[in-house]
Amino acid sequence: MFFAFSGFLITSLMFDEFAANGSFKLGSFYQRRFYRIVPPLILSVLIVMPFTYLVGTDFITGIGKQIAAAFGFVTNYFEIATGGSYENNFIPHLFVHTWSLAVEMHFYIIWGFLVYLFSKAIHFIPGGRHQQLKTFRSIIFLISAIFALASIVGMKIGGEGLKDFSPVYFSSLTHCFPFFIGAVLSTVTGVSTLPHSFEKHIAEKWTAPRAILLMAAAFVGLLVITFKLDFSASFTYPYGMVLAVLLAAAMICGARILHEKTPNVSEPWLFGFLADCSYSVYLYHWPLYVIFSHKMSNGWAAVWTIVLSFLFAAFSYYLVEPLVAGRKGHLFGYRVSGKAITLPLTALIAGLLVATGFTENKAPQMSKLERNLWIGGIYQDADGVKAAQDTVMAQVASPKTKKKDEAEQKTDTNDYRKYNKQSTAEKFKLPPGVSIIGDSVTLGTRRYLEPHVADAQVDAEGDRKLDQAHGVMMEQQKNNTLREFVVVCVGTNSLNDYEEQAKKIIADLKPGHKLVFMTPYDKTATASWNSTKLGEFERTLPTKYKWITIADWGKIAPQHPEVFNGTDGVHFAGRAAGDRLYAKVINDSLIAAAKKPGKPAEKD
């Protein structure tokens, strides 16, 4: 929506300038864009940085690269390269929102230059100013339509076969069509300089109530797709987004007609204030919300974000930006300038600059979560090699050596083997012990799990979903390494087919196994999230399948909020208390599972 409005407004102002002066001055256009965009951006980064001390250092991991990408207007491509990592789903980049500013700046630079060339070429066309403006509009209409269509087709083709749509969502090439659809709209409407056909159409066929009805209908349409469009669905790229842009264009058109039909109605001051502050509010809202949402409830985080965003935005627009551009600022209704105001502002900005430099200098290059998963992955690979070596050695070891190794196995106080009176390992020729198939939470605590869950082997990976857990299970069954007890600790990253995938695991698990589902936990999840729905579904399974047990992490974890303080609300950052709690939940479920029979053969 914002892109469409920006394309409409900027191109309309280009027409106004050409109509007034017979030319379009590229240098002046770039200068205006610089003063409107760059100073507020720099100020927002400087103001946000001290707030990062409210949360852990994970939130400033690699912050220097984020700032450089924002100031270089390449955040969109920086996010394509780095933002798709699994860790960023839980600890997002503070300045990820400047991706759209990067796309917008690319549009301004390239479109401004092209329009400048077109405006120069128009002078070679015979006819007066009116004819030249008409031809100018026609050229812009045609070029804009071609660029919009090319971008839409690019998003459609580029998005085919993708599960992560970041490459087409963030790219300036595939996400520039809203600007050009807005530019097309400007050629048939405009701001100050209106085409004769549009003026005539408004005068003859439109009334203020009809214009309001058009805006209201488009607004309702936008609300509907806001709640219906799924960012993980291929339909959204580009069809859903094109629909959003067309509805936004309809609202712009309705507002433009309403303006013509109400010449004596003044715009409420609140609308003007919102328009003045909107850009800077956009700059502040995301990093402040990310920070506050990890310190307080979602409602209070939203309140503080709104209040401070508008406060900082007004400070930027009415005071700092005019002074930077060499104009007088506004301070509580008074025009201000001179050393009395510039010196304190300079000192403030200098202090913020020093604080930002210090924060960037001490920022870690890898978050605790990322480091924990990385180390867990290394140990898992190393243990895999060791397990293979142990298998070979076991084949040639003497019976005496085997008994000694078995005697040295750790026996936990909550050892499920004491209760496994109905063991099915021997009957169904299954390897004894526990196979744990997990996601990033399991991977983060893997080094603790294996020695504290008796005879357990852990296979975990970040961003693992149920279908991938099924693949791991099937591979282990094929190699006859899937142990008697199977614990599936996957679900935080559930997709819409969670129920189907869970049923597939149940159906394809061979007879004799005892299955444990660990319900997922995400502090930020609501009842509408797939992970929450999966947990509710898993809790119904033991009544239907006597050989299935639930390790209810989803209910036990929130009873221990201290484990998640300062974290993303999913992982517990390698904390010993979290490791112990996670292992206890698994051990308790294994004891319950040990008292049950295994999965029966079909003939049973």
Side-chain angles (χ1 to χ4, degrees):
M1 290 173 60
F2 184 82
F3 283 178
F5 179 74
S6 185
F8 165 79
L9 180 61
I10 291 300
T11 309
S12 296
L13 294 177
M14 290 173 173
F15 288 139
D16 290 346
E17 182 178 344
F18 186 86
N21 306 319
S23 63
F24 171 68
K25 295 181 179 179
L26 184 62
S28 298
F29 172 74
Y30 285 159
Q31 184 181 48
R32 290 192 298 271
R33 294 297 89 205
F34 174 86
Y35 280 126
R36 185 69 187 98
I37 293 173
V38 177
L41 172 63
I42 295 174
L43 183 63
S44 68
V45 171
L46 297 181
I47 288 178
V48 162
M49 290 308 292
F51 284 92
T52 61
Y53 287 89
L54 295 175
V55 289
T57 56
D58 280 354
F59 290 86
I60 58 171
T61 300
I63 197 69
K65 294 178 181 178
Q66 293 184 51
I67 294 173
F71 288 171
F73 298 101
V74 291
T75 298
N76 57 333
Y77 292 110
F78 176 74
E79 289 299 320
I80 289 175
T82 66
S85 70
Y86 176 67
E87 294 78 15
N88 284 335
N89 293 330
F90 299 96
I91 303 177
H93 288 161
L94 287 180
F95 301 111
V96 62
H97 64 308
T98 60
W99 75 268
S100 60
L101 186 59
V103 178
E104 187 172 8
M105 182 61 83
H106 301 162
F107 168 75
Y108 289 153
I109 292 173
I110 296 173
W111 189 233
F113 180 70
L114 290 177
V115 170
Y116 170 74
L117 294 180
F118 298 149
S119 69
K120 288 293 184 183
I122 289 297
H123 292 294
F124 294 100
I125 297 176
R129 178 77 60 83
H130 178 75
Q131 182 59 40
Q132 288 179 343
L133 178 60
K134 187 177 180 180
T135 304
F136 190 39
R137 283 186 181 274
S138 299
I139 292 175
I140 297 300
F141 175 90
L142 179 62
I143 299 299
S144 299
I146 292 173
F147 283 173
L149 183 60
S151 177
I152 292 170
V153 171
M155 179 174 280
K156 171 61 180 174
I157 295 175
E160 290 179 353
L162 294 181
K163 290 186 177 180
D164 175 16
F165 293 93
S166 295
V168 294
Y169 182 76
F170 287 128
S171 173
S172 297
L173 295 177
T174 52
H175 208 149
C176 65
F177 63 86
F179 293 104
F180 291 109
I181 291 177
V184 168
L185 180 62
S186 74
T187 64
V188 296
T189 58
V191 173
S192 297
T193 308
L194 306 182
H196 176 71
S197 58
F198 185 68
E199 289 182 304
K200 182 180 178 182
H201 192 73
I202 292 174
E204 293 179 353
K205 297 184 178 181
W206 282 89
T207 62
R210 286 186 64 185
I212 294 173
L213 183 61
L214 174 61
M215 292 179 66
F219 179 70
V220 170
L222 284 167
L223 281 180
V224 170
I225 65 172
T226 293
F227 293 101
K228 293 297 183 181
L229 279 186
D230 184 353
F231 275 89
S232 63
S234 59
F235 172 83
T236 305
Y237 310 88
Y239 303 118
M241 293 188 176
V242 170
L243 177 59
V245 172
L246 293 177
L247 289 169
M251 286 196 71
I252 294 169
C253 189
R256 189 64 195 84
I257 295 171
L258 184 62
H259 177 75
E260 292 298 314
K261 290 297 181 179
T262 55
N264 299 320
V265 177
S266 299
E267 184 180 79
W269 71 268
L270 180 60
F271 287 10
F273 174 76
L274 292 175
D276 292 342
C277 295
S278 61
Y279 167 57
S280 288
V281 167
Y282 151 79
L283 292 175
Y284 290 102
H285 86 281
W286 174 254
L288 291 180
Y289 176 73
V290 168
I291 292 169
F292 291 144
S293 63
H294 283 80
K295 293 297 292 182
M296 58 191 73
S297 67
N298 186 66
W300 279 112
V303 169
W304 278 108
T305 297
I306 292 170
V307 171
L308 290 181
S309 292
F310 274 99
L311 181 65
F312 294 144
F315 171 69
S316 175
Y317 184 82
Y318 293 113
L319 192 60
V320 177
E321 294 173 47
L323 294 174
V324 170
R327 305 190 308 270
K328 288 186 176 183
H330 296 262
L331 186 62
F332 301 112
Y334 296 96
R335 290 279 191 170
V336 294
S337 63
K339 293 183 179 180
I341 191 68
T342 56
L343 286 179
L345 279 179
T346 303
L348 173 64
I349 292 173
L352 291 173
L353 189 60
V354 171
T356 299
F358 176 79
T359 305
E360 190 280 329
N361 185 60
K362 79 180 192 71
Q365 295 305 307
M366 185 180 291
S367 69
K368 291 178 183 178
L369 171 60
E370 191 176 3
R371 184 168 60 251
N372 201 31
L373 297 185
W374 179 64
I375 292 173
I378 290 176
Y379 274 92
Q380 180 165 282
D381 292 341
D383 288 347
V385 174
K386 184 177 182 300
Q389 293 173 340
D390 290 345
T391 300
V392 174
M393 293 300 294
Q395 293 173 352
V396 298
S398 65
K400 185 182 292 185
T401 304
K402 290 181 180 179
K403 288 182 180 180
K404 180 181 178 182
D405 290 341
E406 290 171 0
E408 290 177 349
Q409 286 182 351
K410 178 175 177 58
T411 301
D412 196 279
T413 54
N414 290 324
D415 192 344
Y416 64 91
R417 293 178 295 189
K418 302 174 187 176
Y419 306 90
N420 198 20
K421 307 302 182 184
Q422 303 184 60
S423 177
T424 54
E426 186 174 345
K427 176 183 177 181
F428 290 91
K429 297 181 180 180
L430 303 174
V434 182
S435 291
I436 300 176
I437 302 173
D439 55 17
S440 61
V441 181
T442 315
L443 181 60
T445 190
R446 182 183 179 279
R447 291 177 64 191
Y448 183 88
L449 275 185
E450 285 206 339
H452 289 87
V453 176
D455 201 11
Q457 184 180 54
V458 180
D459 186 309
E461 184 179 6
D463 201 22
R464 179 172 282 170
K465 301 172 180 64
L466 279 175
D467 60 332
Q468 295 163 324
H470 174 270
V472 173
M473 182 189 79
M474 295 302 291
E475 183 66 21
Q476 291 187 12
Q477 280 193 157
K478 177 183 175 183
N479 297 328
N480 197 34
T481 58
L482 190 67
R483 302 187 178 189
E484 179 183 4
F485 292 82
V486 180
V487 183
V488 179
C489 308
V490 176
T492 306
N493 314 291
S494 297
L495 300 179
N496 293 334
D497 61 348
Y498 61 87
E499 187 171 331
E500 175 187 341
Q501 295 300 334
K503 289 179 178 178
K504 197 172 180 183
I505 290 174
I506 294 170
D508 292 344
L509 186 66
K510 289 183 177 179
H513 289 287
K514 300 179 180 183
L515 180 60
V516 176
F517 277 115
M518 191 174 214
T519 59
Y521 173 66
D522 186 337
K523 182 180 178 181
T524 62
T526 65
S528 64
W529 287 34
N530 287 336
S531 59
T532 305
K533 295 176 182 177
L534 171 63
E536 294 298 327
F537 171 70
E538 288 175 334
R539 293 183 185 102
T540 67
L541 295 174
T543 57
K544 184 177 181 182
Y545 305 96
K546 302 303 180 184
W547 47 276
I548 292 181
T549 306
I550 299 302
D552 214 338
W553 180 247
K555 284 191 175 179
I556 296 173
Q559 298 172 16
H560 300 269
E562 70 282 356
V563 171
F564 299 94
N565 284 341
T567 72
D568 54 39
V570 175
H571 308 85
F572 36 84
R575 292 179 177 175
D579 291 336
R580 289 193 295 269
L581 182 64
Y582 198 81
K584 183 180 185 304
V585 171
I586 290 180
N587 277 320
D588 289 349
S589 68
L590 287 172
I591 291 173
K595 299 175 182 178
K596 297 181 179 182
K599 180 179 181 180
E602 288 190 15
K603 64 179 181 179
D604 297 334

